[in-house]
């Protein structure tokens, strides 16, 4: 499905609105004008998100390592083995994105031609390709570190139901399809996480000591997706009825929009403050664990991108498909690792390294696909 003439005209209008002369492409064959145009799309918070994330990561690790009692303070209360401050950060992060979803139009989206193909491709990438790829990469790169390998495999099995909403929103993906795919992954996670984990950790890897119930997974999904989802649906329903769609979209959504990235930065700060000693004291192993994770994110994202382009999937759906496939549910992976092996286990540390790599890498992918979007209809 190629971009229509109307879409090209709309893109041209956006370029002009951004202050970009369309003829600049010929004047600047190196693509600098396009990159500048992409940069202008983002708010100040979005524009320098890479900088903020690395600053927060560095500050949180230093803070957690040198300030006594940080870990105990942040873990004073927990929900399903996840720190309450982290849970709050996840809720704040997801709420604005879920308020944007047009729930009243989801039925129509599902009835569109090609929706079954999109959903089927997502299920294959998430539940067949993803776990198998991560298991293979973990064995290939960590053959002598079985505990770290177990944590990495858990990350690959836990499909994303939270941060993918952020990446999809930043990259201008299809918010409605993203909500549908997240909902499907949430249901499949409750059904498939335990048997898939047992397959790859006990049968394929011949591991021991892994215990997880379907209720543990369901509880995590209900808390980390269900709470902000219900809040988002109710907010949209109540405020749109009370003040109208125009006020809701131009005022309210604009007001709560920055909360998502603020929640992301806060979550990163809490998470890495808690694990600071584990990260610093095992820095060599952290670097090794980063290898299969980097390979996994790159292969799955660009593999999905290649498939979508071959199938001529339009840009918004392509972005949603790629980020849904490449993102992972780190809060579930951490919760299962902690519940099965303990808070200070190497398995839990490996699961924590997941977002340490995932956040900056997928943010980089946001910039990459955004740059290609600006290249026009040939992409």
């Amino acid at each position: 499905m190629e971009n229509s003439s109307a879409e090209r005209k709309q893109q041209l209008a956006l370029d002009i609105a951004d202050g970009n002369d369309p003829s600049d492409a010929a004047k600047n064959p190196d693509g600098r004008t396009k990159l500048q145009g992409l940069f202008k799309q983002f708010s100040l918070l979005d524009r320098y998100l890479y900088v903020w994330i690395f600053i927060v990561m560095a500050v949180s690790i230093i803070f957690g390592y040198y300030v006594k009692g940080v870990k105990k303070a942040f873990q004073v209360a927990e929900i399903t083995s996840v720190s309450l401050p982290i849970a709050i950060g996840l809720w704040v992060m997801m709420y604005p994105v879920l308020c944007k979803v047009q729930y009243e139009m989801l039925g129509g989206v599902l009835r569109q031609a090609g929706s079954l193909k999109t959903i089927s491709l997502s299920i294959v990438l998430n539940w067949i390709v993803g776990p198998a790829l991560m298991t293979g990469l973990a064995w290939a790169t960590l053959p002598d570190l079985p505990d770290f390998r177990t944590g990495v495999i858990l990350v690959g099995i836990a499909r994303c139901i939270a941060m993918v909403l952020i990446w999809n929103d930043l990259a201008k993906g299809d918010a409605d399809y993203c909500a549908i795919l997240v909902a499907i992954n949430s249901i499949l996670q409750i059904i498939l996480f335990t048997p898939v984990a047992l397959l790859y950790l006990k049968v394929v890897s011949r591991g021991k000591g892994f215990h997880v119930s379907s209720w543990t997974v369901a509880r995590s999904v209900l808390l980390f997706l269900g709470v902000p989802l219900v809040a988002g649906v109710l907010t949209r329903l109540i405020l749109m009825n009370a003040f109208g769609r125009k006020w809701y979209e131009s005022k309210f959504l604009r007001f709560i929009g920055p909360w998502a990235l603020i929640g992301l930065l806060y979550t990163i700060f809490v998470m890495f403050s808690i694990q600071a000693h584990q990260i610093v004291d095992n820095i060599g192993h952290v670097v090794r664990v980063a290898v299969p994770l980097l390979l996994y994110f790159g292969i799955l994202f660009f593999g999905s991108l290649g498939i979508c382009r071959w199938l001529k999937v339009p840009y918004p759906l392509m972005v949603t498909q790629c980020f849904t496939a490449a993102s992972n549910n780190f809060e579930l992976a951490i919760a299962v690792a902690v519940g099965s092996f303990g808070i200070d286990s190497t398995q839990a540390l490996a699961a924590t390294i997941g977002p340490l790599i995932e956040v900056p890498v997928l943010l980089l992918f946001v910039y990459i696909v955004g740059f290609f979007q600006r290249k026009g209809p040939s992409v």
Side-chain angles (χ1 to χ4, degrees), residues 24-101:
D24 281 350
K27 299 174 188 175
N28 296 280
D30 59 1
R32 280 178 295 182
T33 301
K34 292 174 181 175
L35 190 58
Q36 290 167 357
L38 169 67
F39 202 60
K40 289 178 182 178
Q41 289 187 86
F42 298 107
S43 67
L44 180 65
L45 187 60
D46 295 342
R47 195 176 299 173
Y48 298 103
L49 188 56
Y50 230 113
V51 177
W52 310 141
I53 283 178
F54 278 115
I55 289 175
V56 170
M57 282 181 173
V59 170
S60 61
I61 291 173
I62 294 170
F63 179 75
Y65 192 79
Y66 288 105
V67 178
K68 294 181 179 179
V70 169
K71 183 174 181 178
K72 186 180 291 186
F74 279 138
Q75 291 183 319
V76 66
E78 294 183 346
I79 300 178
T80 65
S81 301
V82 174
S83 160
L84 179 59
I86 290 180
I88 292 172
L90 290 170
W91 291 332
V92 172
M93 179 182 76
M94 294 170 65
Y95 173 69
V97 181
L98 289 169
C99 283
K100 291 182 181 180
V101 176

Side-chain angles (χ1 to χ4, degrees), residues 193-266:
F193 183 88
T194 299
V196 171
L198 290 173
L199 170 65
Y200 285 110
L201 292 179
K202 285 206 166 184
V203 178
V204 175
S205 301
R206 300 183 183 277
K208 297 179 180 179
F210 174 75
H211 304 285
V212 63
S213 67
S214 295
W215 169 238
T216 299
V217 181
R219 187 174 54 188
S220 176
V221 170
L222 289 171
L223 283 169
F224 298 123
L225 176 64
V227 170
L229 177 60
V230 170
V233 171
L234 291 177
T235 299
R236 187 176 184 88
L237 180 65
I238 294 170
L239 293 185
M240 279 185 61
N241 284 334
F243 302 101
R245 178 183 290 271
K246 184 177 180 181
W247 178 89
Y248 183 81
E249 293 181 348
S250 64
K251 300 293 185 181
F252 181 73
L253 290 183
R254 201 169 186 178
F255 171 69
I256 65 169
W259 296 9
L261 297 184
I262 292 171
L264 171 64
L265 295 174
Y266 165 80

Side-chain angles (χ1 to χ4, degrees), residues 137-168:
L137 291 172
W139 270 97
T141 57
L142 304 170
D144 57 329
L145 296 174
D147 291 345
F148 282 97
R149 187 173 64 235
T150 295
V152 169
I153 292 173
L154 280 174
V155 172
I157 296 169
R159 311 315 302 166
C160 192
I161 59 172
M163 295 190 70
V164 62
L165 296 165
I166 297 294
W167 309 132
N168 184 72

